Amino acid sequence: MRAQRRGPTGPAAPGAEGLPFHDPGLTAARVVAQVAALVAAALGAVGLSGWILGVEVLKSVLPGVTASMKADTAVALLALGLSLFVVARAPTSRPAVAAARAAAALALVIGALTLLEYATGRSLGIDELLFKDNTAQVETLAPGRMAPTTAGALMLSGGAALCGSTARLPAWTAQIPGLTVLALGMLRFYGFLYDVPQLDRLGTFRGMALHTALAMVLLGVAAFLARPDEGPAGLVTNVGTTGALGRRLLAAILVAPPLLGWIVLAGQHAGLYEEHLATALLVCGQVAVFTAVSFAALAVGRRVEVAHARAEWQVRQNELLQAFMDHTPAVVFIKDLDGRFLAVNTRWEESTGVSRRHALGRRDEDVLPPEAARHARAADLDMLARGTPVQREDLLGVAEAPRHYLTTLFALNDPSGRPYAVCGVATDIDERVTAQHEVARSTRRFLALLESAPDATLITDGDGIVVLANAQVEPLFGRKPRDLVGGSVHELVPRSRRRHHTALLDAYLRLRDPEPTVVDRGLYGLRGDGSEFPAEVSVSTLQAEQDTLVFLTVRDITERRQAEAERAERYEQQRRIAYTLQHSLMGEPPRLPHLPSAHRYLASLQDPGVGGDWFDLVPLDEHRTGVVIGDVMGRGLEAAAVMGQLRAATHALARTGMAPGRLMAGLDAFVADLAEQLVTCCYLVIDQETDEVTLCSAGHLPVIAVPPGGPARRLPVPVDVPLGVNEPGGGTPYRAVTLPLAPGSTLALYTDGLVERPGTDIDAQIDLLAHALGSALEEAPAGPGALDRAADRLVEALIPDTQAHDDDVTLLLVSLPGPATAPRTGQRARSAADRPEEPAAREPGPEPPPQPVSRPLD
C-alpha cells in the first residue's frame, strides 16, 4: 500500500469528520491532467473524423503548408487521451484501469511498429490499414505513415500511461517520458514559430502536424500531472515554498525564452539590427526577465515563509491550548454558534464516554443523550441571548455515575466583539454539595475505626495535649479515655524517662516532612498503679488546618522482650554448642617441646562457629614432624563433618610415615568418594636432623618462612590441583619438594580467610602477611610466649575488626629451635637412601637423580 501523503508541515491532519487532509493544489493538478488528456483525445477524434469524412482541414491545420495528421496517429492520440484521463482520475475501478492499459498498449504498439518500419525500410502494412493516404505533398516516402518524431512520441506516451497506471512503480517512470513527449511537441512549435523545420524533421522526412504537436504537448502535461503528489511533479504541485517557486520558475522558463527569441528574430527579419546585436538583445532580455522572475519568486517565497511561520505559531498555540485543557481537571468544551464541537478536553471524554475524534464537528444531539443534548443547547442559546457569562449547577454524567457540576458558559468574541464560539468549563462540585453528609459519615467511620484498633491510640496536638483516645488505653494504662483528654501525653511516661521521651517527640516534630515511624527501643509506659512496661510506639502526624495532630499508637511489648531474650539465649547456647563441636572435630594439636608452635582460629560470623578449616602437628619420629593445614570449601555442619574426617585420615596416614606426595594422593582418593567436595591442603615434613623441609601443596596458599635474621619469603612449592578435582584412578600427580631450612626459622601456615578480602589482590595480602610476620617476630621479645604474641599481632594486622569477618580464619606458626637448642644425633645430612622411600611416578619415565631438590611424587 502507498504511504499516507505528508503535507509540507507534517503528516496529514484529520479533519472534523476524521477524513484525511485535502490539498486543493493536488486536486487542481489532477483536473489539469484530465482536461489535457481529454483535449488530446478530442484532437485525435478531430483528425480521425477528417479521414472518415474526407475533410482536409480536419487532417491538417493549414492544408498544403503543414503536414497532416495520419489516421493511425489519430487513433493512437484518441486512445492515449482516454487512457491518461482514467489514470489521472485515480483511484478508479479495476476494469477502467485495465481498459486504460489496453489503450496505452495500442498506442505504444502503433508507435513501435512505425519506428520499426523506419529502421528496417520495410512496410508492415499498418500505414494505410484504415484509409488510403490522399493528402497532397506526401513527403514521407510512404503514404499514410506518420513522422518518426510522432512515432517516438506515441511510444513514449504509451509507456508513460502504462507506468502511471501501476501504483507499484515510482512516479518518475511516467513523468520523465511525459516531459520528453512535451519537449517533442514543443520542438514542432519552435520550428514553426522560428521557421526552422530542422527542429522537427529527421532527414528528408516531414515532421508532425501542428495539431498533432499540440496533442503531444497535452499528453506530456497529462502524463506528468497524472500522479501530482509523487516524483518530480510533487516538487511543483506541493503547497509549500518549493512548489510555489517551482511553478513560477517553470512558467517563466517555458514562456519567456521562446517569446523573447521570437521577438528578437522578428526584429532581425525586419532589418532593425544585425545578427550580433540580436544575440545581445536576446541575452539581455532573458537576464532581465529571469531577474524579475527571481525577485517575484523570492517575494512569493517570503510570503509563504511568513504564512508558514504564522501557521506554525497558530498550531503551537492550539497545541498549548489543548494541552492546557487536557491537564485541567474540569470539563472543558468549545462549540461554534451552531452547536458543533470545536474542541474538548480529556476530562470531557472521560465524563461523556465519547472520543474526541468522534465528537469534533458534530452537534450535541449527535454525541449526547437526547435530554442532555436539549438541555445543553438551551443553555448555550440562553447565554448568547443574555450576552454575559452564565453559571449553573448541573447533574452530569454519561459514561460515569451522575455528579454535580458547576458549569460556567461564556462567549468567545472576535476582534470586532462579535461572538463566534461558546466555551464551557464544568467543575466537579459533587464533594462540596455533599460535604456535610460526608464529613459526618467520615467522622463516624473514623471513630469506629479508632475504637476497633487493637492497640491503644492517642491523638494529641502539637504541644502533646491529648484530644482523643480510644477505649484500648484503659486496659493498657489503667485510665479511662475521657480522663486522658485535656492532659499531657507525657504523664503516661515514667517520671525518670520523661525528658528522654519528650526530646524524641520534639525532634520528630521538628522534621520538615516527618514520615510515620515506629520506635521500640528505650520507650516505656506508666500504668495507673505506677508500674512500668516496655512499649512500642508508632507516631505519625496530620496537618489539620492551622494545627498539627500527632497520632500515637502504643503497644505493650513485654512478652516480645521476653521472647527476644529467650531467643538470644537459645542462639548463644546453640553457638556455644556449635563452637564446641568445631573444636572437638578440629582437636587440639600437641605441644611438642622440640618444635614450638602457636595457632589462632576465628570462626565465621555467618554460621554459628562451624567451618571447614583444620590444622595438625603429627610427631613422626625423634627428628621429624608432620604439619598439615587444610580448608574445606563451604560452611556449616557439612563442611565441619568433612573437616573432621579429613583431619583423622591425614593424622592416620601421616603416622605411617607416608611421604607427602603419597599422603596427598591418598587424601585425594578419600575426598573423591565424598559428593561434590573441594578441599585445599598443604602437608609438610620438618626434618630437624638434616635441617630440611619436604612440602606438598594441593591448591593451598604458599607457606611463608622467616629465617633467623633474614626477610620473610614464600617457599617455592609447586601448587597442584585441590583435593577432589582429579578423576578416580588417574589425573594430575601431586609433587613434593625438599628445601633446606635454617635452624631458628619460623614457618607460617594459614587459610584464605586471613588474607582474602573483596576488592583486593590476594598476592598483595600475602605480601602484607609476610611483612607483618617479619615485623612481629623482630619486635616480639624472646621467651616461651613469643610465637603467641606474634600470632596475635598478625591477626590484628590482617583482620582489624574480628567481629565483622565473614570467613573462617586459621593461622599456625611453627618455629625450629636454633643451633644451640636443636637436638642432634649426627652432623651429616641424610643421603637419598636415608630418606623415606618415595614411590615411582604414575607415568613411566626415567628415574629421578639421586639427590633432587624437587621431585614429583604420587
Side-chain angles (χ1 to χ4, degrees), residues 588-592 595-599 615-620 625-629 647 651 654-655 683-684 686 749 812-814:
E588 184 71 21
R591 292 285 184 176
L592 303 179
L595 193 67
S597 65
H599 63 271
F615 63 92
D616 200 2
L617 299 175
V618 184
L620 302 179
T625 305
V627 182
V628 63
I629 189 168
R647 181 179 181 278
H651 194 92
R655 292 302 295 266
Y683 178 64
L684 53 92
I686 299 174
L749 294 84
L812 175 63
L813 299 180
V814 179

Side-chain angles (χ1 to χ4, degrees), residues 814-828:
V814 179
S815 179
L816 277 69
T821 59
R824 289 287 184 271
T825 58
Q827 294 301 321
R828 68 177 183 88

Side-chain angles (χ1 to χ4, degrees), residues 445-455 457 470-472:
R445 285 198 301 265
F446 173 75
L447 292 176
L449 179 62
L450 185 65
E451 292 298 333
S452 63
D455 299 320
T457 303
N470 66 352
Q472 279 67 35

Side-chain angles (χ1 to χ4, degrees), residues 122 138 142 146 148 156 165 176 201 245 266 349 357 359 364 377 406 489 558 572 582 592 627 648-649 716 721 786 804:
R122 300 177 58 184
V138 176
M146 68 183 71
L156 289 173
S165 63
I176 299 301
R201 292 185 179 182
L245 295 178
E349 293 181 279
R357 188 180 185 86
D364 292 317
R377 185 57 181 164
L406 178 63
V489 70
T558 302
E572 184 61 27
Q582 171 78 16
L592 303 179
V627 182
V721 298

